[in-house]
Amino acid sequence: MNKNKKELITITHPFEPVYDSHSKILILGTMASPKSIEYGFFYGHPQNNFWRVLANIFDVGLPESIDDKKILLLKNNIAVWDVLHSCQISGADDSSIKNPVVNDFSEILAKSKIKAIFTAGMTATKIYNKYCFEKTGISAIYLPSTSPANRKYYNFDSLVKEYNIIKKYL
């Protein structure tokens, strides 16, 4: 095996979605990264800017615990999950994804007030558009990935500016 090429592993999404009956928007990533799985919650890589961006947008302190992160989401009517239920992937490399199986969003949509779906990153957007849009009937609104691997939008201020659009739907 080529040392530069990592092996694909099959992964099933380990987290339940975070939402409640008041959720108005749904933010979808692609799939939980190895660091997020190790941490036990969405956007768990210490260099991922997701939680810093939301804290900035809502002018609150950075949530530290998983419970604090859930409170930040639900207090602001935000639901979070990922597009994929399972896939084959090499580490956290979205470009390596094979055999994607998408999550079923019907329960979240039926039990909440979600009117807008945001996809975080180009891969999440492409997968959602290809496999999910027809079932949900809600067009995805693209947001840049907050991952440290996303060099184009690594600038924190750029991410905050892009993510501010979510406030229009809350």
Side-chain angles (χ1 to χ4, degrees), residues 140-159:
I141 301 168
Y142 169 80
L143 291 171
S145 171
T146 55
S147 165
N150 186 358
R151 300 293 178 222
K152 184 177 179 184
Y153 285 96
Y154 193 72
N155 178 296
F156 181 74
D157 292 334
S158 296
L159 286 171

Side-chain angles (χ1 to χ4, degrees), residues 22-155:
H22 303 289
S23 298
K24 294 180 180 176
I25 68 167
L26 173 59
I27 300 175
L28 298 171
T30 306
M31 172 56 88
S33 71
K35 283 287 186 189
S36 292
I37 293 168
E38 181 181 311
Y39 174 69
F41 198 60
F42 299 94
Y43 305 100
H45 193 292
Q47 293 176 357
N48 191 300
N49 280 316
F50 185 81
W51 299 110
R52 286 181 54 221
V53 167
L54 289 186
N56 186 285
I57 288 171
F58 295 107
D59 196 26
V60 297
L62 182 65
E64 297 293 334
S65 71
I66 291 172
D67 284 341
D68 288 344
K69 291 172 182 179
K70 288 179 182 178
I71 289 167
L72 172 63
L73 294 170
L74 298 177
K75 181 179 178 187
N76 291 289
N77 302 316
I78 299 170
V80 170
W81 206 14
D82 286 316
V83 175
L84 292 176
H85 167 73
S86 65
C87 67
Q88 290 182 298
I89 189 169
S90 176
D93 179 8
D94 283 0
S95 69
S96 72
I97 291 173
K98 304 284 184 229
N99 303 313
V101 176
V102 295
N103 276 313
D104 178 359
F105 304 108
S106 59
E107 183 175 327
I108 295 174
L109 296 176
K111 294 182 176 182
S112 69
K113 298 175 181 173
I114 290 171
K115 299 295 181 221
I117 295 177
F118 294 87
T119 46
M122 198 50 76
T123 303
T125 303
K126 287 177 183 176
I127 293 170
Y128 179 89
N129 288 339
K130 184 173 183 177
Y131 299 106
C132 305
F133 169 69
E134 189 175 319
K135 293 177 185 172
T136 66
I138 301 172
S139 295
I141 301 168
Y142 169 80
L143 291 171
S145 171
T146 55
S147 165
N150 186 358
R151 300 293 178 222
K152 184 177 179 184
Y153 285 96
Y154 193 72
N155 178 296

